[in-house]
Amino acid sequence: MRVLQLFLVLFLLPMAGHAKWFESSSDHFVVYADDREKNVRRFSQQLEQYHKALTILTQLSPFKPSPSNRVTVFVVKNKSQVKKLFGDGGRAVAGFYVPRASGSIAIVSRVKTNSISMNMLLHEYVHHFMISNSEIASPKWVTEGGAEFFSAAKFERDGSLTLGLPATHRFLGLSIGSKITVKELLDPQTFGSLSSRGLDSFYGRSWLLYHYLNFSKSRKGQLNEYQHQISLGQNSLAAGKAAFGDFGKLDRELRSYLKSRKLTGLSIRKEALTIGNVAVRQLREGEAKMMDVRMRSRRGVNPAGALELVVKARKIADRYPDDPSVQSALAEAEFIAGNDAAAIIASNLALAKDDKDVNAYVQKGYALFRQAREAKDKATAYKKAIAPFLALNKIENDHPLPLMYNHIRFVAQKKAPSRNAIEGLERALELAPFDRGLRFRVALQQIKDRRYDWAERNLSALAFDPHGGKLSVASQEVLKRLRGEKNVDPSELIKILKE
């Protein structure tokens, strides 16, 4: 018995050593995972190779994001942790993505190459990539069909990468789910009326149409023509009629295409998938212990969760008072819990140890702005509040938050923003076009200035947003008004958007 017990102890010891948190930093991603170093490095390399493949296939040439504008991927142990972090409604969630100007995040369960978790992450990254690098606002079937098309990828053993493979995970929805016709697929009203089974069919048929239009020789160029018609202001159905012709004929072709056994993908050789450096480091002990707090803070918590979180963060911070990342994470937890003074103190402690801690500047700025709302001398309070963001701007010139908050300080004081502040806000949107709230703010400012042509472009993106909700509906209503009247009152449009 003792021999067996000793064998089990020796067998389990190495496994315990594997649970170490690592940070992997590359040009477009920051990955945090409690996994082996080699696994984390390989995962980051694959994400960068995937990004490279997207640039090749879409022929887009995105600029390199600033350090804080990269996508941060938190890799947790299992789906149960993902569901817990997602919160209500996350029963069937295997991973999720949250786009923000303050830093977009994705949370996934331990990712294995060519797994469903990887597919989900790639799907969401396609959205991030396309929104970041294309000004054309696309209908839902295009955004979701394109994301399904590009995320159906396989990392080959020889280092090559194949995209556009058959979306086998959608075949159930395609074969059993409600049959959605091309006309229904192109109709914006369809998406909002679908059941959960119908949604699966919508995603599947969006992939099928997108795949067919990309590989069909007889339909070559029609998808581009459809997008061109959309960019000219045509509605989805009219654009489809102009580009595709008879919808019934296209339906018949799709049914035949789905039965084909020759569905293929697009392969990119290893030599073409060159990427930049991937730097991996093991987190310090305090940083690793604070990871749960960081993930929950970035995800967002309800008031009860915020109080629970800040208690945990304080206990960890007490043990690691000299770790700037720990104090910075504490500042974030304090701010979320509504403790502005404590958030400022923790931010200052972090900055005293590391005067380039971006999150410490951000959390201090957030807390000071919230304090300024109740200040008697608002001019002085907002001047003080913008200081951390100005300091951040000197460290990272292309961080969107300083540009955004420079505009917010005028609006908060009910002052007309300066030309510099407006231009800065629009520059922030160029840097973080995936942030719906920021795009909404820019559109509001453009409506106030009666720059309706520019407002239309931003409202179109919100109107077509597959996850836009009420804001999407309101944007569609405002677009109708803008395109139907020449002398529309800005206050009426703003009222619609804010309802």
Side-chain angles (χ1 to χ4, degrees):
M1 180 64 72
R2 288 181 180 178
V3 173
L4 177 59
Q5 288 175 339
L6 179 60
F7 173 78
L8 288 173
V9 169
L10 291 175
F11 179 76
L12 292 172
L13 277 175
M15 296 298 292
H18 293 155
K20 297 177 180 177
W21 278 95
F22 286 92
E23 175 196 80
S24 181
S25 178
S26 58
D27 286 345
H28 303 91
F29 303 91
V30 181
V31 175
Y32 293 98
D34 60 340
D35 204 336
R36 292 184 176 92
E37 180 178 355
K38 67 175 184 178
N39 292 343
V40 180
R41 184 183 298 278
R42 184 175 66 249
F43 177 49
S44 292
Q45 289 170 338
Q46 288 176 334
L47 290 179
E48 287 293 342
Q49 288 171 335
Y50 184 72
H51 172 89
K52 180 70 173 184
L54 288 179
T55 67
I56 293 171
L57 295 181
T58 63
Q59 297 184 328
L60 294 171
S61 301
F63 60 85
K64 182 179 175 181
S66 63
S68 298
N69 225 5
R70 296 173 292 177
V71 177
T72 297
V73 182
F74 295 105
V75 185
V76 296
K77 290 182 178 180
N78 51 52
K79 291 181 181 179
S80 295
Q81 283 187 285
V82 173
K83 293 173 186 176
K84 183 178 179 181
L85 287 164
F86 185 87
D88 294 340
R91 187 175 64 177
V93 173
F96 58 94
Y97 159 76
V98 183
R100 295 193 189 109
S102 57
S104 298
I105 67 166
I107 296 178
V108 295
S109 58
R110 182 158 290 161
V111 176
K112 295 180 180 179
T113 302
N114 305 324
S115 65
I116 292 178
S117 295
M118 176 68 96
N119 179 269
M120 169 269 149
L121 179 58
L122 299 185
H123 177 107
E124 295 300 337
Y125 186 68
V126 174
H127 287 315
H128 181 91
F129 178 89
M130 297 303 292
I131 293 172
S132 298
N133 300 295
S134 176
E135 293 185 356
I136 299 175
S138 299
K140 288 180 175 65
W141 82 265
V142 175
T143 57
E144 296 303 342
E148 291 288 296
F149 176 85
F150 288 112
S151 64
K154 184 179 181 182
F155 293 88
E156 308 288 358
R157 290 186 177 182
D158 63 1
S160 63
L161 176 58
T162 305
L163 285 76
L165 290 166
T168 54
H169 61 290
R170 294 295 180 189
F171 278 178
L172 184 62
L174 280 165
S175 58
I176 299 177
S178 61
K179 296 292 188 276
I180 298 177
T181 65
V182 170
K183 185 177 180 179
E184 290 171 329
L185 201 63
L186 270 59
D187 187 347
Q189 302 303 316
T190 300
F191 188 83
S193 63
L194 293 172
S195 64
S196 58
R197 178 173 291 185
L199 283 173
D200 193 46
S201 185
F202 180 91
Y203 279 82
R205 297 199 73 80
S206 294
W207 163 79
L208 181 64
L209 179 56
Y210 197 95
H211 197 280
Y212 181 61
L213 292 173
N214 271 278
F215 285 104
S216 171
K217 292 181 180 179
S218 65
R219 300 250 176 204
K220 186 176 181 181
Q222 289 188 0
L223 181 57
N224 287 337
E225 177 59 24
Y226 173 79
Q227 290 281 62
H228 176 64
Q229 292 293 326
I230 291 290
S231 71
L232 294 176
Q234 291 272 31
N235 65 48
S236 180
L237 286 170
K241 197 70 176 176
F244 309 140
D246 180 50
F247 290 153
K249 183 175 184 295
L250 183 51
D251 274 321
R252 291 190 292 274
E253 291 176 18
L254 286 177
R255 284 195 292 271
S256 176
Y257 189 65
L258 183 60
K259 296 176 183 177
S260 172
R261 295 185 178 182
K262 296 181 180 180
L263 297 184
T264 185
L266 300 167
S267 185
I268 302 175
R269 293 180 304 169
K270 176 183 178 181
E271 293 75 19
L273 300 174
T274 55
I275 62 173
N277 182 52
V278 175
V280 182
R281 71 175 181 93
Q282 184 178 338
L283 297 191
R284 298 183 295 273
E285 185 175 297
E287 287 182 293
K289 291 186 181 297
M290 195 63 100
M291 280 305 301
D292 181 61
V293 171
R294 287 184 64 185
M295 288 188 292
R296 291 169 64 188
S297 295
R298 296 295 167 88
R299 168 62 181 117
V301 292
N302 58 28
L307 294 175
E308 174 192 327
L309 195 63
V310 76
V311 170
K312 181 175 182 178
R314 287 170 182 168
K315 289 179 179 178
I316 297 170
D318 285 344
R319 292 181 58 191
Y320 305 95
D322 296 326
D323 190 315
S325 293
V326 170
Q327 296 301 322
S328 175
L330 172 62
E332 190 166 356
E334 293 284 8
F335 174 75
I336 293 171
N339 306 320
D340 295 332
I344 294 167
I345 291 171
S347 295
N348 287 336
L349 287 172
L351 292 170
K353 296 293 181 180
D354 180 3
D355 62 2
K356 290 182 172 56
D357 189 312
V358 170
N359 191 47
Y361 285 112
V362 170
Q363 300 308 321
K364 183 176 180 179
Y366 284 166
L368 287 169
F369 260 80
R370 192 158 62 188
Q371 286 185 334
R373 294 179 199 164
E374 309 300 326
K376 293 182 179 179
D377 184 355
K378 293 194 181 296
T380 300
Y382 278 105
K383 184 177 181 180
K384 183 179 179 182
I386 198 64
F389 289 114
L390 295 178
L392 173 55
N393 182 253
K394 292 180 179 179
I395 296 171
E396 193 173 324
N397 187 250
D398 281 339
H399 197 303
L401 287 186
L403 303 171
M404 183 176 167
Y405 273 83
N406 188 43
H407 181 270
I408 289 174
R409 66 167 168 160
F410 284 94
V411 176
Q413 296 176 77
K414 298 181 179 180
K415 294 180 179 180
S418 67
R419 173 48 52 188
N420 181 62
I422 294 172
E423 290 176 354
L425 181 69
E426 292 177 343
R427 172 58 178 161
L429 183 59
E430 291 177 6
L431 297 168
F434 39 78
D435 189 306
R436 300 183 196 104
L438 175 54
R439 190 175 293 278
F440 176 69
R441 183 177 293 276
V442 171
L444 282 180
Q445 182 62 56
Q446 290 168 342
I447 289 172
K448 289 178 182 177
D449 295 340
R450 293 179 180 269
R451 297 164 61 206
Y452 294 146
D453 288 346
W454 287 93
E456 276 192 44
R457 294 170 68 177
N458 286 309
L459 290 171
S460 294
L462 293 171
F464 284 128
D465 189 331
H467 308 294
K470 292 182 179 179
L471 182 56
S472 177
V473 175
S475 297
Q476 292 172 28
E477 178 61 29
V478 171
L479 282 173
K480 290 179 183 177
R481 296 284 300 275
L482 285 174
R483 291 167 179 169
E485 301 177 31
K486 292 184 178 179
N487 298 312
V488 61
D489 185 346
S491 62
E492 294 179 13
L493 302 179
I494 293 171
K495 183 179 179 181
I496 294 172
L497 289 172
K498 288 188 173 182
E499 282 182 349

